[in-house]
Short mmCIF file of all heavy atoms in Angstrom, two decimals:
data_model
loop_
_atom_site.label_atom_id
_atom_site.label_comp_id
_atom_site.label_asym_id
_atom_site.label_seq_id
_atom_site.Cartn_x
_atom_site.Cartn_y
_atom_site.Cartn_z
N THR A 56 117.40 141.12 116.14
CA THR A 56 117.02 140.24 117.24
C THR A 56 116.56 138.91 116.67
O THR A 56 115.63 138.89 115.86
CB THR A 56 115.88 140.85 118.07
OG1 THR A 56 116.28 142.14 118.55
CG2 THR A 56 115.53 139.96 119.25
N PRO A 57 117.21 137.82 117.02
CA PRO A 57 116.81 136.52 116.45
C PRO A 57 115.37 136.18 116.77
O PRO A 57 114.79 136.66 117.76
CB PRO A 57 117.78 135.53 117.13
CG PRO A 57 118.90 136.37 117.65
CD PRO A 57 118.32 137.70 117.98
N GLY A 58 114.78 135.34 115.93
CA GLY A 58 113.42 134.87 116.17
C GLY A 58 113.34 133.99 117.40
O GLY A 58 114.35 133.43 117.86
N ASN A 59 112.15 133.87 117.93
CA ASN A 59 111.94 133.05 119.12
C ASN A 59 112.03 131.56 118.79
O ASN A 59 111.81 131.15 117.64
CB ASN A 59 110.57 133.35 119.75
CG ASN A 59 110.48 134.76 120.27
OD1 ASN A 59 111.49 135.34 120.68
ND2 ASN A 59 109.29 135.32 120.26
N GLN A 60 112.33 130.78 119.78
CA GLN A 60 112.37 129.33 119.63
C GLN A 60 111.00 128.73 119.91
O GLN A 60 110.30 129.16 120.82
CB GLN A 60 113.39 128.71 120.59
CG GLN A 60 114.82 129.03 120.28
CD GLN A 60 115.78 128.37 121.27
OE1 GLN A 60 115.35 127.74 122.23
NE2 GLN A 60 117.07 128.50 121.02
N LEU A 61 110.62 127.74 119.10
CA LEU A 61 109.40 126.98 119.35
C LEU A 61 109.77 125.63 119.95
O LEU A 61 110.51 124.86 119.32
CB LEU A 61 108.61 126.76 118.05
CG LEU A 61 108.15 127.98 117.26
CD1 LEU A 61 107.27 127.52 116.10
CD2 LEU A 61 107.41 128.97 118.12
N TRP A 62 109.30 125.36 121.15
CA TRP A 62 109.46 124.05 121.77
C TRP A 62 108.13 123.32 121.62
O TRP A 62 107.10 123.77 122.13
CB TRP A 62 109.84 124.19 123.24
CG TRP A 62 111.28 124.55 123.43
CD1 TRP A 62 111.86 125.77 123.20
CD2 TRP A 62 112.32 123.68 123.88
NE1 TRP A 62 113.20 125.72 123.47
CE2 TRP A 62 113.52 124.46 123.90
CE3 TRP A 62 112.38 122.36 124.28
CZ2 TRP A 62 114.74 123.92 124.29
CZ3 TRP A 62 113.60 121.83 124.67
CH2 TRP A 62 114.76 122.59 124.67
N LEU A 63 108.16 122.23 120.89
CA LEU A 63 106.93 121.52 120.55
C LEU A 63 106.56 120.49 121.61
O LEU A 63 107.39 120.06 122.42
CB LEU A 63 107.08 120.82 119.20
CG LEU A 63 107.56 121.66 118.02
CD1 LEU A 63 107.50 120.84 116.73
CD2 LEU A 63 106.76 122.94 117.87
N SER A 64 105.30 120.09 121.59
CA SER A 64 104.84 118.97 122.42
C SER A 64 105.16 117.64 121.75
O SER A 64 105.05 116.58 122.37
CB SER A 64 103.33 119.09 122.65
OG SER A 64 102.64 119.07 121.40
N ILE A 65 105.59 117.70 120.50
CA ILE A 65 105.88 116.49 119.71
C ILE A 65 107.09 115.74 120.29
O ILE A 65 108.09 116.34 120.66
CB ILE A 65 106.18 116.88 118.24
CG1 ILE A 65 104.90 117.40 117.55
CG2 ILE A 65 106.75 115.70 117.47
CD1 ILE A 65 103.84 116.36 117.32
N ASP A 66 106.97 114.42 120.36
CA ASP A 66 108.12 113.55 120.64
C ASP A 66 108.58 113.00 119.30
O ASP A 66 107.93 112.14 118.70
CB ASP A 66 107.70 112.42 121.58
CG ASP A 66 108.88 111.54 122.00
OD1 ASP A 66 109.84 111.43 121.21
OD2 ASP A 66 108.83 110.95 123.09
N VAL A 67 109.70 113.52 118.79
CA VAL A 67 110.10 113.19 117.43
C VAL A 67 110.45 111.71 117.28
O VAL A 67 110.33 111.14 116.18
CB VAL A 67 111.26 114.10 116.97
CG1 VAL A 67 112.58 113.67 117.58
CG2 VAL A 67 111.36 114.12 115.45
N LYS A 68 110.87 111.04 118.36
CA LYS A 68 111.13 109.61 118.26
C LYS A 68 109.84 108.85 118.01
O LYS A 68 109.79 107.91 117.20
CB LYS A 68 111.80 109.10 119.54
CG LYS A 68 113.25 109.57 119.70
CD LYS A 68 113.89 108.95 120.95
CE LYS A 68 115.34 109.39 121.08
NZ LYS A 68 115.98 108.81 122.29
N LEU A 69 108.78 109.24 118.71
CA LEU A 69 107.46 108.63 118.46
C LEU A 69 106.98 108.97 117.05
O LEU A 69 106.46 108.11 116.34
CB LEU A 69 106.46 109.13 119.50
CG LEU A 69 105.01 108.68 119.33
CD1 LEU A 69 104.91 107.15 119.44
CD2 LEU A 69 104.12 109.34 120.37
N GLN A 70 107.18 110.23 116.65
CA GLN A 70 106.80 110.67 115.31
C GLN A 70 107.48 109.81 114.24
O GLN A 70 106.84 109.31 113.31
CB GLN A 70 107.18 112.14 115.12
CG GLN A 70 106.89 112.73 113.75
CD GLN A 70 105.48 113.21 113.59
OE1 GLN A 70 104.77 113.43 114.56
NE2 GLN A 70 105.05 113.38 112.35
N ALA A 71 108.79 109.63 114.36
CA ALA A 71 109.55 108.87 113.38
C ALA A 71 109.13 107.40 113.39
O ALA A 71 109.05 106.76 112.33
CB ALA A 71 111.04 108.99 113.67
N LEU A 72 108.84 106.85 114.58
CA LEU A 72 108.42 105.45 114.68
C LEU A 72 107.11 105.23 113.94
O LEU A 72 106.97 104.27 113.17
CB LEU A 72 108.28 105.05 116.15
CG LEU A 72 107.73 103.64 116.41
CD1 LEU A 72 108.67 102.58 115.85
CD2 LEU A 72 107.49 103.43 117.90
N VAL A 73 106.14 106.11 114.15
CA VAL A 73 104.84 105.96 113.49
C VAL A 73 104.99 106.09 111.98
O VAL A 73 104.40 105.31 111.22
CB VAL A 73 103.84 107.00 114.03
CG1 VAL A 73 102.53 106.94 113.24
CG2 VAL A 73 103.57 106.78 115.51
N GLU A 74 105.79 107.06 111.54
CA GLU A 74 105.98 107.24 110.09
C GLU A 74 106.64 106.00 109.49
O GLU A 74 106.28 105.57 108.38
CB GLU A 74 106.83 108.48 109.83
CG GLU A 74 106.12 109.79 110.15
CD GLU A 74 106.94 111.02 109.79
OE1 GLU A 74 108.01 110.86 109.18
OE2 GLU A 74 106.51 112.13 110.14
N GLN A 75 107.56 105.40 110.23
CA GLN A 75 108.21 104.18 109.74
C GLN A 75 107.22 103.03 109.67
O GLN A 75 107.24 102.24 108.72
CB GLN A 75 109.37 103.83 110.68
CG GLN A 75 110.14 102.58 110.26
CD GLN A 75 111.22 102.22 111.27
OE1 GLN A 75 111.43 102.92 112.24
NE2 GLN A 75 111.91 101.12 111.02
N MET A 76 106.32 102.93 110.65
CA MET A 76 105.35 101.84 110.67
C MET A 76 104.33 101.95 109.54
O MET A 76 103.82 100.95 109.07
CB MET A 76 104.64 101.81 112.03
CG MET A 76 105.56 101.42 113.19
SD MET A 76 104.76 101.57 114.80
CE MET A 76 103.56 100.23 114.68
N PHE A 77 104.05 103.18 109.10
CA PHE A 77 103.14 103.36 107.97
C PHE A 77 103.75 102.79 106.68
O PHE A 77 103.03 102.37 105.79
CB PHE A 77 102.81 104.84 107.77
CG PHE A 77 101.52 105.28 108.39
CD1 PHE A 77 101.50 105.79 109.66
CD2 PHE A 77 100.33 105.18 107.70
CE1 PHE A 77 100.32 106.20 110.25
CE2 PHE A 77 99.14 105.60 108.26
CZ PHE A 77 99.13 106.11 109.55
N GLY A 78 105.08 102.83 106.60
CA GLY A 78 105.73 102.36 105.38
C GLY A 78 105.34 103.21 104.19
O GLY A 78 105.32 104.43 104.25
N GLY A 79 105.00 102.55 103.09
CA GLY A 79 104.62 103.26 101.88
C GLY A 79 103.12 103.51 101.77
O GLY A 79 102.65 103.98 100.72
N ARG A 80 102.37 103.21 102.82
CA ARG A 80 100.91 103.38 102.77
C ARG A 80 100.51 104.83 103.00
O ARG A 80 101.22 105.59 103.66
CB ARG A 80 100.24 102.47 103.81
CG ARG A 80 100.39 100.99 103.51
CD ARG A 80 99.61 100.15 104.52
NE ARG A 80 100.23 100.20 105.84
CZ ARG A 80 101.17 99.37 106.26
NH1 ARG A 80 101.61 98.41 105.44
NH2 ARG A 80 101.68 99.47 107.47
N ARG A 81 99.36 105.19 102.49
CA ARG A 81 98.80 106.51 102.75
C ARG A 81 98.00 106.48 104.04
O ARG A 81 97.39 105.46 104.37
CB ARG A 81 97.88 106.95 101.61
CG ARG A 81 98.62 107.21 100.30
CD ARG A 81 97.67 107.57 99.19
NE ARG A 81 96.77 106.47 98.84
CZ ARG A 81 95.98 106.46 97.80
NH1 ARG A 81 95.94 107.50 96.99
NH2 ARG A 81 95.21 105.43 97.53
N GLY A 82 97.97 107.58 104.77
CA GLY A 82 97.17 107.62 105.99
C GLY A 82 97.59 108.75 106.89
O GLY A 82 98.43 109.58 106.55
N ALA A 83 96.98 108.80 108.06
CA ALA A 83 97.27 109.85 109.03
C ALA A 83 97.06 109.31 110.44
O ALA A 83 96.27 108.39 110.65
CB ALA A 83 96.38 111.07 108.79
N LEU A 84 97.78 109.89 111.39
CA LEU A 84 97.64 109.53 112.79
C LEU A 84 97.92 110.76 113.64
O LEU A 84 98.86 111.51 113.37
CB LEU A 84 98.61 108.41 113.17
CG LEU A 84 98.62 107.97 114.64
CD1 LEU A 84 98.82 106.47 114.76
CD2 LEU A 84 99.70 108.72 115.44
N VAL A 85 97.08 110.95 114.67
CA VAL A 85 97.30 112.02 115.63
C VAL A 85 97.23 111.41 117.02
O VAL A 85 96.25 110.74 117.36
CB VAL A 85 96.24 113.13 115.50
CG1 VAL A 85 96.47 114.21 116.55
CG2 VAL A 85 96.27 113.74 114.10
N ALA A 86 98.28 111.61 117.83
CA ALA A 86 98.32 111.13 119.21
C ALA A 86 98.29 112.34 120.14
O ALA A 86 99.14 113.22 120.05
CB ALA A 86 99.58 110.30 119.46
N ILE A 87 97.28 112.37 121.03
CA ILE A 87 97.07 113.51 121.93
C ILE A 87 97.14 113.03 123.38
O ILE A 87 96.60 111.97 123.72
CB ILE A 87 95.69 114.17 121.67
CG1 ILE A 87 95.65 114.78 120.27
CG2 ILE A 87 95.40 115.24 122.70
CD1 ILE A 87 94.31 115.41 119.92
N ASP A 88 97.78 113.83 124.23
CA ASP A 88 97.71 113.60 125.67
C ASP A 88 96.37 114.16 126.14
O ASP A 88 96.18 115.39 126.13
CB ASP A 88 98.87 114.30 126.38
CG ASP A 88 98.91 114.00 127.87
OD1 ASP A 88 97.87 113.63 128.44
OD2 ASP A 88 99.99 114.15 128.47
N PRO A 89 95.42 113.33 126.57
CA PRO A 89 94.08 113.81 126.93
C PRO A 89 94.09 114.83 128.08
O PRO A 89 93.22 115.69 128.15
CB PRO A 89 93.33 112.54 127.34
CG PRO A 89 94.10 111.42 126.76
CD PRO A 89 95.53 111.87 126.74
N ARG A 90 95.08 114.75 128.95
CA ARG A 90 95.11 115.61 130.13
C ARG A 90 95.46 117.06 129.79
O ARG A 90 95.08 117.98 130.52
CB ARG A 90 96.11 115.07 131.14
CG ARG A 90 95.80 113.67 131.64
CD ARG A 90 97.01 113.05 132.30
NE ARG A 90 98.12 112.90 131.35
CZ ARG A 90 99.31 112.38 131.67
NH1 ARG A 90 99.53 111.97 132.91
NH2 ARG A 90 100.26 112.28 130.76
N SER A 91 96.21 117.27 128.70
CA SER A 91 96.71 118.62 128.41
C SER A 91 96.39 119.11 127.00
O SER A 91 96.48 120.31 126.73
CB SER A 91 98.23 118.66 128.60
OG SER A 91 98.86 117.74 127.70
N GLY A 92 96.03 118.20 126.12
CA GLY A 92 95.83 118.58 124.72
C GLY A 92 97.11 118.62 123.93
O GLY A 92 97.11 118.97 122.74
N GLU A 93 98.25 118.27 124.55
CA GLU A 93 99.52 118.26 123.84
C GLU A 93 99.52 117.16 122.78
O GLU A 93 99.19 116.01 123.08
CB GLU A 93 100.67 118.05 124.81
CG GLU A 93 100.90 119.20 125.76
CD GLU A 93 102.05 118.94 126.71
OE1 GLU A 93 102.67 117.85 126.62
OE2 GLU A 93 102.34 119.82 127.55
N VAL A 94 99.89 117.53 121.56
CA VAL A 94 99.98 116.56 120.47
C VAL A 94 101.36 115.92 120.50
O VAL A 94 102.38 116.60 120.37
CB VAL A 94 99.72 117.23 119.11
CG1 VAL A 94 99.82 116.22 117.99
CG2 VAL A 94 98.34 117.90 119.10
#
């Protein structure tokens, strides 16, 4: 029986945009929807 699928709250376009904006710098960012807790 195949494993279950995980559907994330992540918007990968937003994820890729933020990673691109960081460039070569070190750091971290977390964006949360306050209404649901979805990251």
